[in-house]
Amino acid sequence: MTPQHNITPENVTPATDWWRDAVIYQVYPRSFADADGDGMGDLAGIRSRLPYLRDLGVDAVWLSPFYASPQADAGYDVADYRAIDPMFGTLPDAEAVIRDAHALDLRIIVDLVPNHCSDQHAWFRRGLAEGPGSVLRERFHFRKGRGQNGEEPPNDWESLFGGPAWTRVPDGEWYLHLFAPEQPDFNWDHPAVQDEFRSVLRFWLDLGVDGFRVDVAHGLVKAPGLPDMGHGEQLKLLGNQVLPFFDQDGVHDIYRSWRTVLDEYPGERIAVAEAWAPTAERTSLYVRPDELHQAFNFHYLNTAWDAAALREAIDSSLEAMRPVAAPTTWVLSNHDVVRHTTRLGGGLDRARAATLLMLALPGSAYLYQGEELGLPEVTDLPDEVRQDPSFFRDSGQEGLRDGCRVPLPWSGDTAPYGFGAGGSWLPQPDDWAGLTVEAQTGDPDSTLELYRTALALRRRLPGLGAGDAVEWLDAPDGVLAFRRPGGLICTVNTTKTPAPLPAPGRILLASRQLDAAAGDFTLPADTAVWWEE
């Protein structure tokens, strides 16, 4: 079914520049809610929980991939960009999620995976069947191998999941895959690839989605000639590695063409870049006024819990985005990294303080499902239940992403804690009964109620997310203090010891229970406070 600009007042929200200070909640579909009892989350489960997200106070919901896929990489290996994988439901189920979300004043952002597809994609399967010289192979990166008989890969690139980035097919040619062998990279120099993805954009925009999160946005274009690592003038430095397959300048022409498509539609449809660039300045190129709208701020996500480091990350992030008039984004957790309750090293107190700091910064904030419950990383999953494909490779990524993907606890005292009637695809810890939505709802000391209150205040006091700068205030070593528009002040103690400081006003919200402050005040360790002057 190909929808024909199914745009009605009921399925599109009005233009408001909403994305500049939006709070966007990431749903990892297989781990959010299971409606059919097969142990796997699905679209019907998401639909049933939309009122929870409305009541939480977020502005938009980002859905990780639910497309037809063999699931070699949890759906990031897409076989059909216009079809729903049966494990998640049907296309009408997706339409119902979009429709119900809009009725609840929630926007929907869907994942788009343009760097690579599944080896079961129709183009790739046909290219394999037709053999060398097939026009379909030109839409991917097929090459002859090196060595006397072509027995060596065409270059020395390594997959991010470990091992060579090339796989040889029976007829002797090799194809490129920056990730798993089941994920062949598209050749974005080919016009058919560019045309196809503009068509995919329109397909989902016609169904009413409000935007796209662009997976591996920095990876679509490869250096000309596919040179070995460390050779060629076109290469870009990312961290300590020279990567001829990331952050090439040619990606920006692609995103300019996408912006033209997005701007054809009412309601301010947006695109968000997952762009791992070497600097904040390089990241800002993805969000120039004629390109994408936002880019994830991985510099901030990777910053240690240290006042000086955080201040530098905040300032440099804001400064980089200011020349292109794009909002800065802030994120602490997602489906690919250790949950910040564990990663920051200070447990739940530190995680709650980090949340209030993030939500007081100007721009847009991203939440990952379950962080509002204070969920920790699950670090003791047995090898036999793991599903992250990189876990099974010899090298590359750590292969431990399953720990942040364990299904959510909704209710009850034992697993699967209301996730669904049929268990859960990854086992949940036995001690999560106190972390369920049911257990935390109404408890003023719970992390869930902290998030609900913070998001309600952020919506009522727009100065918390406004502007493109913070006004830093004097503070003791290890403490951050800054003013936001409307007479709002945030103070954060990143140290392990209490810090005395003058109370700048009336406490609006604190990351832990505090006595009312007057005059001199002691800010506990790993604590953040919002004040009204």
Side-chain angles (χ1 to χ4, degrees), residues 138-158:
E138 297 173 3
R139 302 177 186 186
F140 301 91
H141 294 279
F142 276 88
R143 297 290 187 275
K144 293 180 179 180
R146 297 192 291 197
Q148 185 174 359
N149 299 305
E151 69 277 7
E152 298 178 7
N155 66 24
D156 64 358
W157 294 2
E158 294 288 314

Side-chain angles (χ1 to χ4, degrees), residues 294-319:
Q294 294 182 347
F296 288 133
N297 187 350
F298 294 117
H299 177 42
Y300 184 75
L301 183 149
N302 289 320
T303 300
W305 184 247
D306 172 82
L310 286 164
R311 179 166 175 170
E312 187 282 328
I314 292 166
D315 283 343
S316 62
S317 298
L318 292 168
E319 182 179 356

Side-chain angles (χ1 to χ4, degrees), residues 233-354:
E233 297 179 357
Q234 302 281 339
L235 308 190
K236 301 291 186 290
L237 186 65
L238 186 64
N240 294 320
Q241 291 181 293
V242 175
L243 300 176
F245 42 75
F246 279 166
D247 195 36
Q248 299 293 309
D249 289 337
V251 299
H252 299 292
D253 288 337
I254 296 168
Y255 298 135
R256 289 187 187 98
S257 75
W258 287 17
R259 182 60 178 261
T260 300
V261 174
L262 291 165
D263 288 348
E264 293 173 6
Y265 288 78
E268 286 191 297
R269 317 299 181 89
I270 72 165
V272 184
E274 184 207 26
W276 290 86
T279 65
E281 289 73 23
R282 289 291 302 181
T283 301
S284 73
L285 300 181
Y286 290 79
V287 290
R288 287 176 286 193
D290 60 345
E291 294 191 40
L292 307 181
H293 297 74
Q294 294 182 347
F296 288 133
N297 187 350
F298 294 117
H299 177 42
Y300 184 75
L301 183 149
N302 289 320
T303 300
W305 184 247
D306 172 82
L310 286 164
R311 179 166 175 170
E312 187 282 328
I314 292 166
D315 283 343
S316 62
S317 298
L318 292 168
E319 182 179 356
M321 294 298 144
R322 205 170 288 125
V324 294
T328 307
T329 65
W330 314 99
V331 61
L332 293 169
S333 290
N334 65 35
H335 66 293
D336 281 335
V337 301
V338 173
R339 287 186 176 276
H340 68 274
T341 299
T342 300
R343 189 185 72 253
L344 294 178
L348 190 54
D349 283 346
R350 185 169 294 178
R352 287 164 60 108

Side-chain angles (χ1 to χ4, degrees), residues 98-109:
I98 297 166
R99 182 179 62 249
D100 286 8
H102 287 165
L104 294 169
D105 201 25
L106 293 169
R107 291 174 168 86
I108 293 291
I109 295 169

